[in-house]
Amino acid sequence: MKLLRKILFPFVPVYYVITWLRNKFYDLGWMASKSYDLPIICVGNLSTGGTGKTPTIEYLIRLLNDHYNVATLSRGYKRDTSGFIIADKQASARTIGDEPFQFYKKFDTIVVSVDENRQRGISQLIHLKQPDVILLDDAFQHRKVKPGYTILLTAYDNLYYNDMMLPTGDLREPITGAKRADNIVVTKCPESLALSEKNQILKKINPLAHQKVYFSWISYDETIWNNDGCYEFTRLKGKKVSLVTGIANPEPLVRYLNSKHIDFEHLNYSDHHVFSASEIEVLKQKEVILTTEKDFMRLQDSFEAKSTQLYYLPITFKIDNSDEFNAQLLSYIKSV
């Protein structure tokens, strides 16, 4: 794949020009972007994935859920359906996508919806559910909607200013697109990131006067989970553990499990991988499977409901200067 990306380098300028022109047309008003009279918060990135959008959305849900009627709107990547859907008891990872299904399973008081057409999805939510706040998941490049507040994520180990445009790099659009963000969050940082390194990153990001840059990290749970509850890591001792991942960057998880002295084999699949019947049969032969929460959403239906074979490890989004970050967001919502 790396070789193919290098071979495709001549197409990088073509992709750059196309996406730059598209953004310019929206900026000049030659292509229409719709605004709304309620708070619309967009979480997205410049790259193709792996920046931590799902834990960020979950952080926002926890922040807002006690005071507002919250709705999430996602595309529903790799679902078997199309059009607008509101998650209900019949929902699954196949009908709404693994990440929206994760939201639905974890937060029973919010409205979880999917639609590849964000304008239509927002209109349907307003008409059917009258939410106070809508969280747009992975919508930074969806310029047909003009959100009131935009959070741009960039991963510490793949900062957008060090990256290159598709197809050789991972950028979906030029880095000038970062100017549309209200704040920028550097995700997946080491928890003890030095102030000197933060300052170096800040200098390279070079935020605009109105933009604030925050640093965040992922906190892994101290227990493993399945549909029956949570268990200590000691449950894995003496077992042949298979780590199954279908996420963009599993390396932080691998490092964490190594720090826990868990002996495991790693079966690494592509992001949002749809497991085939033959792959499921191979996995069922494993003694114990440990996976991510997102992958668990896609795998659980293939195992018995009370299976002691399949577990997941939850993660939590943590952020420096959280009081300031929260206050900035709540101030926007109250101003609408």
Side-chain angles (χ1 to χ4, degrees):
M1 182 59 70
K2 289 182 179 179
L3 176 60
L4 178 60
R5 284 190 159 206
K6 290 179 180 178
I7 292 172
L8 293 174
F9 177 76
F11 292 96
V12 169
V14 177
Y15 192 81
Y16 181 99
V17 170
I18 291 172
T19 54
W20 183 86
L21 283 173
R22 176 179 179 271
N23 279 332
K24 183 58 68 174
F25 289 166
Y26 274 110
D27 293 341
L28 294 172
W30 297 350
M31 295 175 70
S33 186
K34 188 173 181 179
S35 300
Y36 296 85
D37 293 331
L38 80 163
I40 305 286
I41 300 170
C42 167
V43 175
N45 50 26
L46 295 180
S47 63
T48 52
T51 57
K53 292 183 295 294
T54 301
T56 305
I57 291 284
E58 291 186 359
Y59 178 92
L60 298 180
I61 293 171
R62 292 187 180 98
L63 173 65
L64 303 175
N65 198 25
D66 288 342
H67 305 286
Y68 299 97
N69 295 321
V70 177
T72 64
L73 177 61
S74 310
R75 174 177 48 165
Y77 185 61
K78 286 197 174 181
R79 59 183 170 128
D80 294 339
T81 59
S82 61
F84 179 75
I85 297 176
I86 291 178
D88 57 21
K89 291 181 180 179
Q90 282 69 51
S92 68
R94 289 191 173 274
T95 60
I96 63 173
D98 50 12
E99 290 157 342
F101 188 53
Q102 182 173 319
F103 301 151
Y104 176 72
K105 295 286 283 186
K106 293 179 77 168
F107 305 101
D108 56 6
T109 59
I110 71 168
V111 177
V112 176
S113 65
V114 294
D115 198 333
E116 61 274 14
N117 182 323
R118 304 304 173 98
Q119 280 193 5
R120 179 178 61 197
I122 291 172
S123 296
Q124 290 279 59
L125 281 173
I126 293 171
H127 175 67
L128 297 172
K129 296 295 183 178
Q130 298 86 45
D132 298 323
V133 182
I134 297 176
L135 304 178
L136 297 183
D137 178 24
D138 194 15
F140 196 77
Q141 284 73 39
H142 292 266
R143 300 293 306 272
K144 289 184 178 180
V145 169
K146 187 175 182 179
Y149 194 90
T150 300
I151 301 170
L152 176 65
L153 309 181
T154 181
Y156 168 80
D157 59 358
N158 189 26
L159 295 159
Y160 65 76
Y161 56 72
N162 290 329
D163 207 349
M164 186 181 294
M165 293 285 294
L166 289 166
T168 301
D170 290 324
L171 294 182
R172 298 168 170 174
E173 60 173 296
I175 63 174
T176 53
K179 295 178 180 179
R180 300 197 305 275
D182 291 284
N183 66 40
I184 299 168
V185 181
V186 181
T187 61
K188 302 185 178 181
C189 298
E191 190 170 344
S192 56
L193 186 63
L195 179 60
S196 58
E197 189 170 0
K198 290 180 180 179
N199 288 334
Q200 289 176 4
I201 293 172
L202 276 170
K203 185 176 180 181
K204 291 183 178 179
I205 288 178
N206 191 24
L208 300 177
H210 73 279
Q211 293 176 323
K212 178 72 177 178
V213 177
Y214 296 92
F215 295 86
S216 72
W217 63 96
I218 292 298
S219 176
Y220 290 95
D221 206 305
E222 290 294 322
T223 55
I224 58 174
W225 292 68
N226 63 15
N227 285 326
D228 274 347
C230 62
Y231 305 90
E232 299 295 328
F233 273 97
T234 52
R235 195 176 182 89
L236 303 179
K237 296 294 184 181
K239 303 286 181 65
K240 293 181 179 179
V241 179
S242 298
L243 174 64
V244 176
T245 59
I247 56 177
N249 181 16
E251 288 308 310
L253 174 55
V254 171
R255 290 196 296 268
Y256 177 74
L257 292 179
N258 284 331
S259 75
K260 287 287 187 180
H261 307 291
I262 305 297
D263 186 21
F264 61 92
E265 65 168 342
H266 184 193
L267 304 178
N268 189 20
Y269 299 88
S270 60
D271 196 17
H272 296 278
H273 179 73
V274 177
F275 293 91
S276 66
S278 59
E279 288 170 335
I280 293 295
E281 287 306 310
V282 170
L283 293 180
K284 284 184 175 181
Q285 305 307 310
K286 305 297 182 181
E287 184 176 1
V288 173
I289 296 169
L290 181 62
T291 189
T292 68
E293 191 169 6
K294 184 170 74 170
D295 291 312
F296 185 84
M297 296 301 135
R298 280 176 279 123
L299 286 169
Q300 61 179 333
D301 288 344
S302 299
F303 291 79
E304 293 181 9
K306 296 185 179 295
S307 172
T308 58
Q309 183 184 12
L310 179 65
Y311 301 88
Y312 68 89
L313 181 63
I315 59 176
T316 305
F317 175 92
K318 305 284 188 178
I319 188 167
D320 272 350
N321 301 320
S322 59
D323 288 345
E324 181 184 54
F325 177 87
N326 296 350
Q328 188 180 19
L329 193 74
L330 292 170
S331 176
Y332 155 69
I333 293 173
K334 292 173 182 177
S335 70
V336 179

